[in-house]
């Protein structure tokens, strides 16, 4: 594992999934006083943390208590998530986690690796008010995963992560899949998710086939949504249903109560995807089909009644759902109010069928959405999209671990398997909280309560071959090409070309020797990879440095906050939580500066760094780091000035009558305590003087450290000034020209792609037109031939069965005339006539419509057709049409009206339009000459 230059751990309160915020908002409304507990579970028990990993994890968890919401983050939430409401945003703006009081953790050694380093079980628990502890889940899971891959599995690197995310996103988009990034909880670390988001956003902005409907919808991580300017997305978690069921102790009605509270908090049309499987989808659907009703406020109060018998009349914790949501003269059902459902366990194909039957049974006609989020990869997304489309559903996909923890071991080429870890609500209001789901492997909670709930709900276990939770994303034994993308029981991924099959690691085609070197050292000493073999190494390294420098800006914001809090803290000692974190963050930031300065120096030492291709980017990161150093110097200088002023104020507590010169002398060097000692002897405020002395000593130590850092920063700046690639003016000109060229190339590519697309579209339209014309000709020929055959058959039956002329006297000329009339006149005319009746004679009442069509047919078409038929036959026979009409027309028309109205009733009522001509021809067999 190679250092990435990004800070470790969690640094933003928004570095979590959106649904944690929405649920906290709902909990604040309805259950602000409910006590809960959470438990941690490792579903991959063979992957244990080392003691070093545990100690690192402990430090990072304690740091969570220092995180607060910034003004910029608050403004982003107000704009991007207006449904959260001002009450909740006010609460969140002052919210802070308290891990020292709310989290318990312990390490239990199990295995000795032979060198005195133990691996073991980590016990992690959370206890406190629900509204105050609900935000722990995602950070704790992300930190645990980072700890494991920082200390226990280090045989991996960041190579290709952005490019692979880009390739995956392009495949999903070109396949028509609409998807979101859901990978925070099991990400390898922050830097990995940042690389993934960079790749996804780049793919979302790249040209794709315009005929495809796929796109990137957003990310569940609110911090990255803010960072990349995309939409934060989310649904709701099992925790919401579990907590309400435990609080109310009413499992048969818990799903309905959860839906009522959700609508009461966010109203219709907002956050409208329902999670179905907390207590099994069948039980949920019983509630989902009910009409929306006002919330019974008694249901939101804790109870100690037996399971499923909540009649507690006590006051509710939150607001009630104000009124029914009406549809016409009746209340909408929850299924009508919510725009779709999320599938998170069990067999997805079975789920799609179940939901189709459910919506059909309750009469929901509008198209609904299914969100798939259970262990997805490209193959499964495409498969489930097709299944959903075949069942008339829209589909979207929440893709997580496949994006943010998809690595291989560098030395073996085998899969570096992710941890499968969860943190679930274990109790609420003193009662066990359980989850059943649609997969046995995902049952959580007290086994006795789980069994009781299953009995109460009539839950039926269903097996599914993809439900093995211990190997959800493959195992460490998976070889390259099979373990990266596969889910157990689902076969090899056809999209993966590594190892000879499917999707695409295309880097081997670029001459990288089968190993991308985007993150490899520039000196070319690692694995033989260097500039001589990778012409893009300098640009790749510049890109990584550029991103890393961006991370320093967040550090500077945090430093300013901690410095202000340190100045306001009455305890000025270096042992306070604030000062310890301030020292750690300062040291970390200085390490980043040293790291980036060294990396830039290494880049500049390469012969190709001054080439026209590389110089602009090298110059850009050089100037950017200098600017960042100046910013840090300004931050530290400002803090030093404030510390100095505070020291002077503290000295004046001891010597209010001291002159300015005496104050400056006392605060300039506390190593010589003679001045303060004299002050102590001369002052009648000995207690205050001693306190002031300790504070000044502590502040002076901070100033000394700042001065040392300022000296080092100045030296770094000078070193960077000495590292010249080309004259600055030349670099700037090249950079500007490069930007202009890139913009022109982008515009040209857009124009070329547009021209290609129009040409393709034109060619496709030509072929479609030709195909349509051909089909029309074929249809006409088929109709003519069939009509001719039926007319000939009818005439033959008339001659042989009715007239009994015998085969030797059969009039083939007459049969030919009948064929000519049927094929040339009657077939096309009748087809056109029936289409006219179908589209022009339309009435609201079905029976009236059929009667009207029969009347028009018999009053207009029948007389006209008979007239044309008799006249045509006479002309082809060489006789007088007038005589034939006078002799035959009236009799034939009367006979027609005794039979054909009834035939046409059947024809227009039951026979499809395309078969009606054939139907009348079949009925007419043998009847032409009667």
């Amino acid at each position: 594992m190679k250092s990435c230059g990004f800070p470790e751990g969690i640094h933003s309160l928004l570095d979590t999934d959106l649904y944690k915020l929405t649920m906290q908002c709902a909990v604040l409304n309805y259950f602000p006083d409910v006590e809960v507990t959470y438990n941690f579970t490792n579903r991959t028990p063979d992957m244990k943390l080392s003691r070093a990993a545990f100690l690192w994890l402990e430090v990072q968890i304690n740091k969570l208590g220092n995180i607060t919401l910034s003004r910029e983050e608050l403004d982003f939430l107000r704009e991007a998530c207006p449904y959260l409401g001002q009450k909740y945003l006010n609460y969140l703006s002052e919210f802070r986690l308290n891990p020292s009081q709310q989290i318990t953790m312990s390490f239990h050694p199990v295995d000795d690796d032979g060198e005195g380093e133990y691996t073991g079980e980590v016990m992690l628990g959370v206890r406190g008010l629900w509204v105050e502890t609900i935000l722990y889940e995602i950070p704790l899971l992300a930190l645990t995963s980072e700890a494991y891959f920082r200390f226990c599995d280090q045989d991996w690197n960041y190579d290709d992560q952005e490019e692979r995310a880009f390739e995956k996103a392009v495949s999903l988009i070109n396949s028509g899949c609409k998807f979101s990034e859901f990978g925070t909880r099991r990400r390898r670390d922050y830097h990995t998710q940042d690389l993934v988001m960079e790749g996804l956003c780049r793919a979302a902005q790249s040209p794709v086939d315009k005929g495809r409907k796929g796109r990137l919808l957003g990310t569940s991580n609110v911090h990255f949504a803010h960072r990349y300017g995309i939409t934060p997305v989310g649904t709701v978690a099992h925790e919401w249903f579990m907590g309400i069921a435990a609080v109310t102790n009413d499992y048969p009605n818990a799903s309905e109560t959860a839906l009522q509270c959700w609508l009461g908090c966010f109203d219709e049309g907002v956050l409208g995807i329902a999670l179905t499987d907390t207590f099994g989808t069948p039980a949920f659907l019983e509630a989902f089909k009910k009409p929306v009703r006002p919330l019974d406020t008694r249901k939101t109060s804790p109870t100690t009644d037996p399971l499923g018998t909540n009649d507690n009349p006590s006051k509710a914790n939150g607001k009630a759902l104000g009124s029914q949501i009406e549809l016409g003269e009746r209340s909408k059902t929850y299924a009508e109010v919510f725009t779709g459902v999320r599938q998170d366990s069990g067999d997805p194909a079975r789920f799609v069928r179940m939901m189709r039957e459910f919506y059909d049974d309750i009469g929901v006609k509008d198209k609904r959405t299914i969100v798939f989020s259970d262990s997805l990869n490209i193959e499964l997304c495409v498969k489930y999209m097709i299944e959903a489309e075949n069942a008339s559903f829209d589909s979207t996909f929440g893709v997580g671990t496949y994006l943010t923890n998809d690595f291989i071991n560098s030395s073996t080429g085998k899969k570096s398997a992710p941890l499968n870890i969860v943190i679930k609500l274990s109790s609420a209001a003193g009662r066990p909280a359980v989850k059943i789901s649609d997969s046995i492997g995902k049952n959580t909670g007290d086994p006795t309560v789980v069994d009781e709930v299953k009995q109460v709900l009539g839950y039926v276990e269903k097996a599914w071959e993809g439900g093995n939770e211990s190997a959800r994303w493959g195992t460490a034994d998976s070889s390259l090409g099979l373990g990266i993308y596969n889910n157990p029981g689902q076969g090899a991924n056809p999209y993966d070309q590594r190892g000879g099959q499917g999707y695409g690691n295309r880097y081997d085609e670029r001459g990288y020797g089968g190993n991308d070197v985007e993150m490899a050292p520039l000196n070319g000493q690692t694995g033989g990879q260097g500039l001589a073999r990778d012409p893009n190494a300098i640009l790749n390294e510049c890109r990584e440095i550029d991103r890393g420098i961006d991370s320093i800006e967040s550090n500077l914001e945090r430093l300013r906050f901690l410095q202000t809090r340190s100045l306001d803290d009455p305890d000025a000692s270096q042992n306070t939580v604030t000062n310890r974190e301030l020292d750690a963050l300062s040291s970390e930031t200085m390490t980043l500066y040293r790291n980036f300065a060294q990396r830039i120096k290494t880049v500049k030492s390469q012969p190709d760094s001054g080439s026209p291709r590389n110089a602009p980017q090298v110059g850009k990161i050089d100037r950017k780091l200098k600017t960042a150093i100046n910013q840090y110097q300004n931050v530290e200088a400002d803090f030093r000035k404030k510390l100095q002023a505070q020291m002077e104020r503290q000295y004046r507590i001891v010597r209010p009558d001291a002159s300015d010169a005496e104050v400056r002398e006392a605060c300039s060097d506390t190593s010589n305590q003679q001045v303060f000692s004299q002050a102590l002897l001369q002052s009648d405020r000995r207690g205050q003087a001693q306190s002031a002395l300790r504070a000044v000593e502590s502040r002076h130590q901070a100033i000394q450290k700042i001065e040392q850092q300022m000296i080092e920063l100045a030296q770094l700046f000078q070193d960077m000034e000495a590292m010249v690639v080309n004259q600055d003016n030349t670099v700037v000109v090249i950079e500007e020209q490069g930007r202009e060229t890139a913009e022109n190339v982008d515009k040209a590519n857009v124009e070329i792609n547009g021209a290609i697309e129009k040409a393709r579209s034109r060619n496709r339209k030509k072929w479609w037109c030709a195909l349509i014309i051909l089909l029309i000709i074929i249809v006409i020929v088929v109709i003519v031939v069939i009509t001719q055959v039926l007319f000939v058959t009818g005439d033959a039956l008339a001659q042989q069965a009715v007239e009994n002329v015998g085969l030797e006297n059969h009039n083939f000329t007459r049969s030919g005339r009948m064929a000519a009339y049927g094929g040339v006149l009657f077939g096309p005319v009748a087809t056109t006539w029936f289409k006219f009746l179908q589209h022009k004679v339309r009435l609201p009442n079905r029976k009236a419509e059929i009667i009207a069509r029969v009347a028009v047919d018999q009053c207009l078409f029948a007389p006209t057709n008979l007239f044309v038929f008799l006249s045509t036959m006479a002309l082809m026979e060489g006789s007088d049409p007038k005589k034939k009409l006078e002799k035959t027309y009236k009799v034939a028309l009367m006979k027609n009206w005794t039979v054909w109205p009834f035939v046409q009733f059947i024809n227009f009522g039951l026979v499809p339009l395309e078969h009606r001509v054939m139907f009348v021809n079949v009925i007419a067999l043998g009847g032409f000459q009667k």
Side-chain angles (χ1 to χ4, degrees):
M1 180 186 70
K2 180 181 173 181
S3 174
C4 64
F6 272 71
E8 59 188 15
I10 303 291
H11 298 277
S12 170
L13 202 61
L14 298 188
D15 192 2
T16 189
D17 286 340
L18 175 64
Y19 68 44
K20 299 303 291 188
L21 302 183
T22 56
M23 288 192 299
Q24 187 184 41
C25 177
V27 170
L28 180 65
N29 276 334
Y30 290 101
F31 307 100
D33 301 319
V34 170
E35 293 272 350
V36 298
T37 59
Y38 296 81
N39 283 337
F40 167 87
T41 301
N42 184 357
R43 291 172 174 168
T44 44
D46 293 337
M47 301 171 69
K48 297 180 175 65
L49 266 65
S50 65
R51 187 182 294 276
F54 173 80
L55 293 175
W56 179 90
L57 177 62
E58 191 174 34
V59 171
Q60 298 302 319
I61 289 176
N62 287 331
K63 287 183 178 181
L64 295 177
N66 301 322
I67 301 174
T68 58
L69 198 68
S70 71
R71 179 174 296 277
E72 292 78 11
E73 290 173 329
L74 185 62
D75 291 341
F76 172 76
L77 288 178
R78 187 176 289 112
E79 180 179 355
C81 308
Y83 44 81
L84 292 175
Q86 192 58 45
K87 172 187 173 183
Y88 172 71
L89 293 180
N90 290 341
Y91 173 82
L92 192 63
S93 66
E94 299 178 358
F95 178 80
R96 182 175 293 182
L97 297 166
N98 187 8
S100 63
Q101 300 298 318
Q102 296 165 335
I103 294 181
T104 58
M105 56 188 305
S106 58
F107 180 80
H108 302 274
V110 175
D111 300 317
D112 184 356
D113 64 359
E115 298 180 1
E117 180 65 41
Y118 281 87
T119 61
E121 303 288 350
V122 172
M123 301 299 175
L124 193 60
V126 180
R127 178 183 296 274
L129 290 177
W130 195 3
V131 71
E132 295 177 353
T133 57
I134 195 170
L135 297 188
Y136 276 116
E137 178 190 2
I138 306 301
L140 293 183
L141 290 174
L143 287 171
T144 302
S145 179
E146 183 175 350
Y148 180 85
F149 291 104
R150 182 177 287 270
F151 292 92
C152 304
D153 180 359
Q154 299 178 320
D155 188 17
W156 56 275
N157 56 53
Y158 297 102
D159 292 356
D160 308 340
Q161 281 298 307
E162 178 187 336
E163 195 64 27
R164 287 168 65 187
F166 171 82
E167 296 278 359
K168 292 174 185 177
V170 168
S171 293
L172 288 168
I173 292 171
N174 286 338
S175 298
C177 295
K178 293 174 285 190
F179 68 102
S180 302
E181 186 278 325
F182 273 21
T184 304
R185 62 179 58 229
R186 298 187 183 98
R187 71 189 184 196
R188 189 139 298 199
D189 59 12
Y190 178 94
H191 183 47
T192 299
Q193 192 168 11
D194 188 63
L195 291 173
V196 167
M197 290 304 305
E198 186 78 18
L200 298 183
C201 292
R202 183 157 58 92
Q205 297 168 2
S206 64
V208 296
D209 187 346
K210 295 182 180 179
R212 298 294 187 182
K213 297 180 180 179
R215 65 180 186 275
L216 174 65
L217 299 177
T219 173
S220 64
N221 187 296
V222 187
H223 165 73
F224 281 109
H226 183 202
R227 178 175 171 85
Y228 284 92
I230 62 177
T231 304
V233 297
T235 55
V236 65
H238 301 99
E239 176 184 352
W240 178 244
F241 295 85
M242 294 167 65
I244 289 177
V247 170
T248 63
N249 197 30
D250 185 6
Y251 282 87
N253 297 306
S255 293
E256 183 181 6
T257 303
L259 294 172
Q260 287 176 311
C261 291
W262 197 255
L263 290 177
C265 187
F266 299 111
D267 297 326
E268 183 182 9
V270 178
L271 303 172
I273 298 296
L275 182 61
T276 67
D277 66 333
T278 308
F279 306 117
T281 296
F284 174 85
L285 295 182
E286 289 299 314
F288 206 41
K289 67 183 180 182
K290 293 180 180 179
V292 177
R293 298 179 296 175
L295 179 65
D296 181 355
T297 56
R298 295 177 298 175
K299 292 184 178 181
T300 60
S301 299
T303 179
T304 57
D305 295 338
L307 190 67
T309 59
N310 182 7
D311 291 316
N312 191 337
S314 62
K315 183 179 179 180
N317 287 317
K319 67 179 182 179
L321 183 60
S323 62
Q324 292 175 293
I325 299 174
E326 296 184 349
L327 176 65
E329 297 179 356
R330 65 177 179 84
S331 296
K332 288 185 180 181
T333 63
Y334 295 102
E336 291 171 310
V337 171
F338 283 81
T339 57
V341 294
R342 176 158 73 101
Q343 189 274 334
D344 194 55
S345 65
D347 184 354
R350 181 187 297 161
F351 180 86
V352 171
R353 293 193 299 271
M354 183 189 304
M355 293 310 305
R356 183 69 276 154
E357 294 173 1
F358 169 79
Y359 282 121
D360 289 344
D361 288 343
I362 65 173
V364 173
K365 303 298 183 183
D366 295 337
K367 199 166 189 178
R368 289 300 192 255
T369 298
I370 296 180
V371 179
F372 297 90
S373 60
D374 187 18
S375 308
L376 299 173
N377 58 27
I378 297 173
E379 178 188 16
L380 295 179
C381 288
V382 175
K383 176 183 176 182
Y384 299 160
M385 178 188 69
I386 295 172
E387 290 179 346
E389 286 179 350
N390 290 340
S392 298
F393 286 111
D394 281 333
S395 60
T396 65
F397 303 88
V399 186
T401 308
Y402 173 64
L403 293 174
T404 60
N405 208 330
D406 185 12
F407 288 78
I408 60 171
N409 290 124
S410 302
S411 61
T412 65
K414 294 183 177 180
K415 182 173 179 61
S416 176
L419 285 172
N420 186 357
I421 50 179
V422 295
I423 292 177
K424 290 296 182 183
L425 190 71
S426 55
S427 72
R431 297 189 61 84
V434 301
K435 182 183 75 146
I436 298 176
S437 83
D438 291 335
S439 176
I440 299 174
K442 286 192 170 184
N443 290 181
T444 60
D446 185 284
T448 302
V449 178
V450 169
D451 290 338
E452 290 177 3
V453 173
K454 288 179 179 179
Q455 292 178 7
V456 168
L457 299 180
Y459 179 86
V460 178
E461 304 280 9
K462 290 183 174 65
W464 177 48
E465 64 178 2
N468 179 7
E469 291 300 319
S470 65
R472 215 52 174 138
W473 300 280
T475 64
D477 293 331
S478 304
S479 62
L480 180 62
L482 295 178
I484 297 295
Y485 301 103
N486 288 354
N487 283 355
Q490 294 163 349
N493 186 352
Y495 300 92
D496 182 8
Q497 289 182 350
R498 288 168 291 186
Q501 30 186 332
Y503 172 109
N505 183 352
R506 300 173 184 162
Y507 309 114
D508 293 351
E509 301 170 3
R510 301 176 184 173
Y512 293 176
N515 190 8
D516 189 1
V517 293
E518 179 183 37
M519 294 294 294
L522 289 172
N523 58 17
Q525 299 301 313
T526 301
Q529 306 292 341
L531 291 177
R533 300 190 58 187
D534 180 14
N536 295 318
I538 288 179
L539 296 179
N540 289 334
E541 179 71 353
C542 288
R543 182 176 58 182
E544 292 303 317
I545 294 173
D546 185 63
R547 290 188 189 131
I549 296 173
D550 287 339
S551 70
I552 295 179
E553 294 179 1
S554 62
N555 276 22
L556 295 183
E557 291 180 7
R558 185 67 183 164
L559 275 171
R560 292 188 187 97
F561 171 78
L562 291 173
Q563 288 169 351
T564 301
R565 201 163 75 182
S566 174
L567 292 169
D568 295 338
D569 194 341
D571 185 356
S573 70
Q574 295 299 306
N575 294 324
T576 64
V577 173
T578 299
N579 285 331
R580 285 203 307 271
E581 184 183 358
L582 181 59
D583 288 342
L585 189 57
S586 297
S587 299
E588 179 182 288
T589 304
M590 284 300 302
T591 300
L592 289 175
Y593 280 123
R594 297 186 199 103
N595 179 26
F596 292 133
Q598 181 59 42
R599 289 169 68 177
I600 292 176
K601 181 178 180 180
T602 303
V603 169
K604 287 186 172 184
S605 67
Q606 302 300 325
D608 291 340
S609 61
S611 68
R613 183 170 183 261
N614 296 325
Q617 295 303 316
V618 175
K620 175 185 175 183
I621 60 171
D622 182 67
R623 292 190 298 276
K624 188 170 183 177
L625 184 58
K626 290 176 183 177
T627 300
I629 291 174
N630 277 330
Q631 290 176 342
Y632 190 39
Q633 287 175 322
N634 292 336
V635 170
E636 294 289 71
D638 184 58
F639 185 44
R640 185 188 187 283
K641 181 187 290 187
K642 291 178 180 178
L643 283 174
Q644 188 74 29
Q646 190 178 68
M647 289 169 59
E648 294 174 0
R649 290 195 301 272
Q650 289 169 333
Y651 182 78
R652 290 189 183 280
I653 294 175
V654 181
R655 289 284 307 278
D657 56 343
S659 65
D660 292 342
E662 290 174 329
V663 172
R664 285 194 297 272
E665 181 183 1
C667 296
S668 61
D669 185 5
T670 57
S671 60
N672 183 354
Q673 298 185 9
Q674 181 178 3
V675 176
F676 265 85
S677 298
Q678 292 175 355
L680 285 171
L681 292 173
Q682 298 171 5
S683 175
D684 57 354
R685 305 177 181 180
R686 291 181 175 245
Q688 289 179 322
Q690 290 174 344
S691 176
L693 175 60
R694 289 192 296 269
V696 170
E697 288 176 336
S698 179
R699 298 304 190 198
H700 190 73
Q701 292 173 8
I703 289 177
Q704 287 180 321
K705 183 176 180 180
I706 291 173
E707 289 174 345
Q708 293 172 357
Q709 290 179 343
M710 296 282 279
I711 293 172
E712 184 177 358
L713 287 171
Q715 185 61 48
L716 278 176
F717 197 92
Q718 291 176 5
D719 292 343
M720 293 187 68
E721 286 290 335
M723 294 184 293
V724 179
V725 179
N726 278 316
Q727 288 81 5
D728 285 343
N729 291 336
T730 304
V731 171
V732 171
V733 170
I734 292 174
E735 186 174 353
E736 291 297 327
Q737 291 176 344
R739 287 181 187 149
E740 183 178 349
T741 302
E743 291 175 359
N744 291 335
V745 169
D746 289 340
K747 292 178 181 177
N749 287 334
V750 171
E751 294 296 329
I752 291 172
N753 290 334
I756 292 173
E757 180 60 29
K758 289 178 180 178
R760 289 175 177 171
S761 177
R762 184 180 64 251
N763 292 335
R764 285 196 296 267
K765 289 176 181 177
K766 287 181 179 179
W767 282 107
W768 277 112
C769 289
L771 180 60
I772 291 171
I773 292 171
L774 179 61
L775 289 175
I776 292 173
I777 294 172
I778 292 173
V779 169
I780 293 173
V781 171
V782 169
I783 292 173
V784 168
V785 171
I786 292 175
T787 306
Q788 287 177 330
V789 170
L790 291 173
F791 267 70
V792 170
T793 304
D795 182 67
L797 288 174
Q799 291 189 51
Q800 300 300 324
V802 178
E803 300 172 12
N804 296 318
V805 298
L807 292 177
E808 64 278 5
N809 296 320
H810 187 86
N811 190 344
F812 290 99
T813 302
R814 192 178 91 177
S815 296
R817 291 195 297 268
M818 296 297 291
Y821 174 80
V824 175
L825 287 177
F826 182 80
V829 171
T831 300
T832 304
W833 172 251
F834 288 153
K835 288 182 179 178
F836 171 81
L837 292 176
Q838 180 74 15
H839 297 300
K840 299 300 182 181
V841 182
R842 306 295 295 271
L843 296 174
N845 184 277
R846 174 65 173 163
K847 292 181 179 179
E849 183 179 73
I850 295 173
I851 293 171
R853 289 175 181 173
V854 172
V856 174
D857 179 74
Q858 291 302 302
C859 293
L860 294 180
F861 184 75
T864 305
N865 177 58
L866 184 59
F867 178 87
V868 173
F869 172 74
L870 293 174
S871 301
T872 303
M873 288 296 105
L875 290 173
M876 286 193 289
E877 292 169 357
S879 60
D880 186 0
K882 183 176 180 181
K883 292 181 179 180
K884 186 155 188 167
L885 288 170
E886 290 175 350
K887 179 181 177 181
T888 311
Y889 181 75
K890 185 180 294 185
V891 176
L893 185 59
M894 292 299 108
K895 288 183 178 181
N896 171 84
W897 283 340
T898 61
V899 176
W900 282 101
F902 304 101
V903 173
Q904 295 294 52
F905 268 113
I906 298 173
N907 195 19
F908 295 148
L910 301 178
V911 180
L913 175 63
E914 60 270 20
H915 298 148
R916 288 175 185 172
V917 173
M918 185 182 297
F919 177 77
V920 298
N921 285 332
V922 171
I923 296 299
L925 282 176
F928 291 107
Q929 304 301 324
K930 287 186 179 180

